[in-house]
Amino acid sequence: MNAKRCLGGLALLLSMTLLSMTLLVLASVAWADPQAPPRAPAPPSPAVPQIGRAWPVGTRPTVLRGWEPPATPYARGHRGVDLAAPPGAPVRTVAAGRVSFAGRVAGRGVVSVELTATGEPPLRTTYEPVRASVRKGDEVAPGQAVGTVEPTGSHCPRTCVHWGLLSGRTYLDPLSLLPPWLRHTDPPRLLPVLGVPLP
């Protein structure tokens, strides 16, 4: 008798849940504005020209944290890459451009460079924490030092430079500025081993 009651109660609960879900779906369809145009898909990220001619720090620095694009503008993610660099190391611009900002933001030194011939609005790279050696309006060449790595203000386990890339308000992967020959090390080469018979 108790088993029948439990099964009956369970069946009633299941049918009420299905009915509630159906009503919610129907209500959302009914409340939708039939005159509203369909939502356009999000615009694709703009193409990034491979104009980089130097890494911001070092020759091929260790990437401590890569680019993790957020799902929405305010969602969690990592809007740049963190490159290992010792305090005082020179920070260089990756391509030619004009300094659009050199100052402090939230206690950290920041340098932003608008890259030459990259459209309207131009692509903009940012570097932080950096003690700036340039001023707003300065023209910079690829590989030119724009400052040095500040010893404090780092959000990495060790000292690093956060390198970002923006197109308007859209964050992009800054590593995409670097051509493959600059981004990767040479492929491994197999050399003959002397004294070992061939298979």
Side-chain angles (χ1 to χ4, degrees):
M1 179 91 155
N2 283 340
K4 283 184 180 180
R5 242 191 243 168
C6 284
L7 285 175
L10 186 59
L12 179 62
L13 181 62
L14 183 61
S15 61
M16 299 255 326
T17 303
L18 287 172
L19 179 62
S20 297
M21 290 174 64
T22 304
L23 289 175
L24 283 173
V25 169
L26 290 174
S28 67
V29 170
W31 290 335
D33 183 5
Q35 303 299 326
R39 280 190 183 181
S45 294
V48 177
Q50 295 179 345
I51 58 172
R53 294 297 170 256
W55 282 89
V57 290
T59 309
R60 283 191 175 92
T62 301
V63 176
L64 299 175
R65 185 173 177 194
W67 186 63
E68 300 163 15
T72 63
Y74 300 104
R76 295 177 75 181
H78 193 232
R79 294 158 173 85
V81 295
D82 293 337
L83 305 173
V91 177
R92 299 179 299 272
T93 182
V94 298
R98 185 182 58 80
V99 177
S100 58
F101 180 83
R104 301 201 74 73
V105 175
R108 288 189 224 171
V110 177
V111 174
S112 294
V113 177
E114 291 180 345
L115 303 180
T116 304
T118 56
E120 194 56 44
L123 293 176
R124 187 171 74 246
T125 57
T126 58
Y127 312 93
E128 65 174 281
V130 175
R131 182 172 290 120
S133 61
V134 291
R135 295 183 182 175
K136 181 177 179 179
D138 286 354
E139 297 289 330
V140 290
Q144 180 179 334
V146 293
T148 56
V149 178
E150 287 185 337
T152 59
S154 178
H155 58 281
C156 300
R158 60 190 210 198
T159 312
C160 73
V161 169
H162 178 83
W163 174 31
L165 175 65
L166 291 107
S167 173
R169 292 185 173 205
T170 303
Y171 287 90
L172 304 169
D173 183 2
L175 291 175
S176 59
L177 284 169
L178 301 177
W181 61 267
L182 189 57
R183 201 174 341 161
H184 302 295
T185 56
D186 293 332
R189 295 180 185 174
L190 299 176
L191 299 174
V193 179
L194 301 175
V196 176
L198 294 173

